[in-house]
Amino acid sequence: MKRTDSQNLGNVIMEYLRATGLETPLQEYRVISAWPEVIGSALAAYTQDVKIFNRTLFVKVSSAAVRNELMMRRTELVARLNSISGAQTITQIVLR
C-alpha cells in the first residue's frame, strides 16, 4: 500500500506545537537561552533575571555602563534574538 499524503516531520511537529499552544513558550525559551550568546559572555555577566512578558524582554542590569551599551544596541539585539527564535518573539527590550 502506497501512502501519498506524507508530510515532513518538522512540519508535523510545528503543527502539533501550534495546536497545543507550546510554540510561543518554545520561542521564548530560545530567546532567553540565546541572550548570553548574543550579547557576549562579558556583558552577560552583568545581566540577570531575563524574562519575557507580552513580547517584551525584561533584563536586570547591574552596571550603568553595560546598561548604556545595551540601550544603544536594542534594535540590533531584538533583530538578532528574533532571528534565532525564528519568529517575531519580542518587540522591545526593557533594561532595569
Side-chain angles (χ1 to χ4, degrees):
M1 181 172 199
K2 194 180 237 188
R3 294 186 182 213
T4 58
D5 61 344
S6 63
Q7 294 181 353
N8 183 349
L9 182 59
N11 293 339
V12 172
I13 291 172
M14 288 308 293
E15 287 177 24
Y16 173 76
L17 291 174
R18 280 189 195 110
T20 58
L22 295 174
E23 182 180 25
T24 301
L26 177 63
Q27 292 168 344
E28 290 175 354
Y29 173 78
R30 287 178 183 160
V31 167
I32 292 170
S33 298
W35 176 253
E37 175 188 329
V38 169
I39 66 167
S41 60
L43 295 178
Y46 294 98
T47 63
Q48 55 190 328
D49 295 334
V50 180
K51 299 176 186 174
I52 297 176
F53 183 72
N54 286 340
R55 298 178 65 178
T56 302
L57 181 69
F58 292 92
V59 181
K60 184 176 178 184
V61 183
S62 61
S63 167
V66 173
R67 183 179 299 115
N68 285 337
E69 170 77 23
L70 296 176
M71 288 282 264
M72 289 187 288
R73 296 176 47 198
R74 276 193 293 191
T75 55
E76 171 201 345
L77 294 173
V78 168
R80 288 183 63 195
L81 290 167
N82 283 333
S83 70
I84 288 173
S85 73
Q88 183 80 17
T89 307
I90 60 171
T91 56
Q92 63 180 343
I93 298 175
V94 174
L95 302 167
R96 297 181 178 173

